[in-house]
Amino acid sequence: MEVSTPCAGIVHGVVQCKMAEYAIDTNDIPAFVPTLKAGDRVLLSGTVYTARDAAHKRIVELMRSGGELPFDLQGAAIYYAGPTPAPPGLPIGSCGPTTSSRMDPYAPLLLDKGLAAMIGKGPRNAQVIDAIVRNKAVYLCAIGGAGALAAQCITECEVIAFDDLGCESVKRLTFDDFPLIVGIDCSGNTLFA
């Protein structure tokens, strides 16, 4: 659902456009991907999985050995984060994004197997951008350094795999209007060029 219009008008002869803002449920990401453009704002709600480099390595090993994955990659969204333990009365501690380039060696394979969205911070390499375009996926950016604020948009957290990795275990999160920016769209347009 689009919640704002893309252009604000003309000021001093220059078209002043602001990017669109969308409220999206994670189940609807594949349908929205063609609409999203680099720079658009997204309020994301629904199920998102955390996985950092150690978990990505294990997921790829499971894929190569024919093992069962901790979650279905088809249409899924992965948040590159290692949340801190939950304080009393809250579902999660601080939950800011990890530098995404650490997952670049694994991302193309996961995208080729159905991953729809990745959430993190920072630029991605050419192979990841190619895989985003090839698979009509999206890379969303979260604000670094605001993990405690981001945690306010997470209503549930459950460890589902690799508990021995501690904060880097795979977790199933429930987002509620988690604020993001489209960093790389399905046409390969990027905020990092």
Side-chain angles (χ1 to χ4, degrees):
M1 152 193 236
E2 187 171 355
V3 294
S4 69
T5 57
C7 285
I10 300 175
V11 178
H12 303 293
V14 177
V15 176
Q16 300 292 311
C17 289
K18 60 182 187 176
M19 297 299 169
E21 183 173 295
Y22 299 90
I24 302 174
D25 186 272
T26 53
N27 292 325
D28 300 327
I29 289 173
F32 268 94
V33 165
T35 306
L36 299 173
K37 303 297 177 215
D40 285 351
R41 291 177 291 185
V42 172
L43 296 173
L44 190 63
S45 298
T47 301
V48 175
Y49 300 94
T50 64
R52 288 177 34 169
D53 37 334
H56 273 71
K57 181 178 180 183
R58 287 193 187 175
I59 289 169
V60 168
E61 288 170 355
L62 284 171
M63 291 170 76
R64 291 187 174 143
S65 69
E68 185 177 340
L69 299 183
F71 59 93
D72 185 5
L73 286 173
Q74 194 62 46
I78 292 180
Y79 182 26
Y80 303 145
T84 62
L90 295 175
I92 199 165
S94 181
C95 193
T98 296
T99 302
S100 299
S101 61
R102 292 169 46 193
M103 275 51 73
D104 284 0
Y106 312 105
L109 177 60
L110 273 60
L111 289 162
D112 288 344
K113 295 297 183 182
L115 184 66
M118 301 164 291
I119 303 166
K121 67 178 181 182
R124 309 305 298 270
N125 69 27
Q127 291 80 19
V128 174
I129 295 171
D130 289 346
I132 289 169
V133 172
R134 178 172 65 248
N135 293 288
K136 298 298 178 203
V138 67
Y139 171 54
L140 302 165
C141 294
I143 299 169
L149 185 60
Q152 293 177 16
C153 297
I154 300 171
T155 60
E156 293 180 37
C157 175
E158 176 188 5
V159 174
I160 61 168
F162 316 138
D163 192 34
D164 61 303
L165 295 178
C167 73
E168 290 198 41
S169 63
V170 175
K171 297 169 183 66
R172 181 185 305 114
L173 305 180
T174 302
F175 278 13
D176 183 21
D177 286 341
F178 195 101
L180 300 163
I181 297 172
V182 177
I184 303 171
D185 64 33
C186 70
S187 297
N189 300 309
T190 175
L191 295 180
F192 304 101

